[in-house]
């Protein structure tokens, strides 16, 4: 089976956050999830750029929700991880686990 290609660390975190949130994943919730895990502020722009890049790569799909009056009539952009995105995450995890193998004595105090 051909390899999908490496994902950057932030791309992986965004995909994993979307999976953690589930069907209601949209950028503000993803940002909140990332900031809670990273324990630091994440630039909103970097999230949107990453979401656009992941969608271009076929790793996520997005859909517009209902028009919401409290958002000036703008719909929320809901996102979900595609099968290709899940496969890419699996590849990254497998590669990282292979690289981490045998290093416990070095990286653990």
């Amino acid at each position: 089976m051909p390899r999908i290609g490496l994902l950057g660390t932030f791309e992986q975190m965004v995909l994993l956050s979307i999976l953690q949130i589930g069907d209601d994943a949209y950028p503000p919730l993803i940002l909140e999830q990332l900031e809670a895990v990273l324990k630091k502020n994440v630039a909103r722009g970097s999230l949107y750029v990453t979401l656009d890049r992941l969608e271009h790569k076929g790793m996520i799909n997005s859909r517009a929700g209902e028009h919401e009056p409290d958002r000036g009539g703008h719909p929320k952009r809901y996102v979900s991880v595609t099968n290709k995105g899940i496969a890419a995450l699996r590849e990254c995890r497998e590669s990282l686990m292979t690289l981490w193998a045998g290093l416990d004595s070095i990286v653990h105090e």
Side-chain angles (χ1 to χ4, degrees):
M1 172 158 58
R3 299 202 43 97
I4 293 173
L6 292 177
L7 293 169
T9 303
F10 191 66
E11 289 176 322
Q12 291 177 61
M13 291 181 163
V14 169
L15 289 172
L16 292 168
S17 293
I18 293 167
L19 290 170
Q20 288 284 338
I21 295 166
D23 293 339
D24 294 329
Y26 72 106
L29 284 179
I30 298 165
L31 192 64
E32 187 177 300
Q33 170 83 7
L34 289 168
E35 289 179 342
V37 170
L38 297 173
K39 295 178 179 36
K40 68 177 193 174
N41 290 332
V42 174
R44 198 169 74 157
S46 65
L47 173 61
Y48 281 97
V49 167
T50 301
L51 289 171
D52 288 343
R53 185 172 54 250
L54 289 170
E55 189 162 25
H56 181 74
K57 289 180 175 182
M59 305 284 174
I60 64 170
N61 287 323
S62 66
R63 63 179 170 77
E66 299 294 320
H67 293 278
E68 299 185 17
D70 61 328
R71 294 173 43 89
H74 298 287
K76 289 180 182 173
R77 174 187 177 194
Y78 292 98
V79 294
S80 58
V81 180
T82 64
N83 288 336
K84 184 176 179 179
I86 292 171
L89 283 169
R90 285 186 183 131
E91 270 186 25
C92 288
R93 184 177 187 278
E94 182 180 310
S95 296
L96 285 170
M97 295 304 288
T98 300
L99 289 167
W100 276 97
L103 298 177
D104 286 347
S105 63
I106 295 170
V107 296
H108 286 74
E109 294 182 45

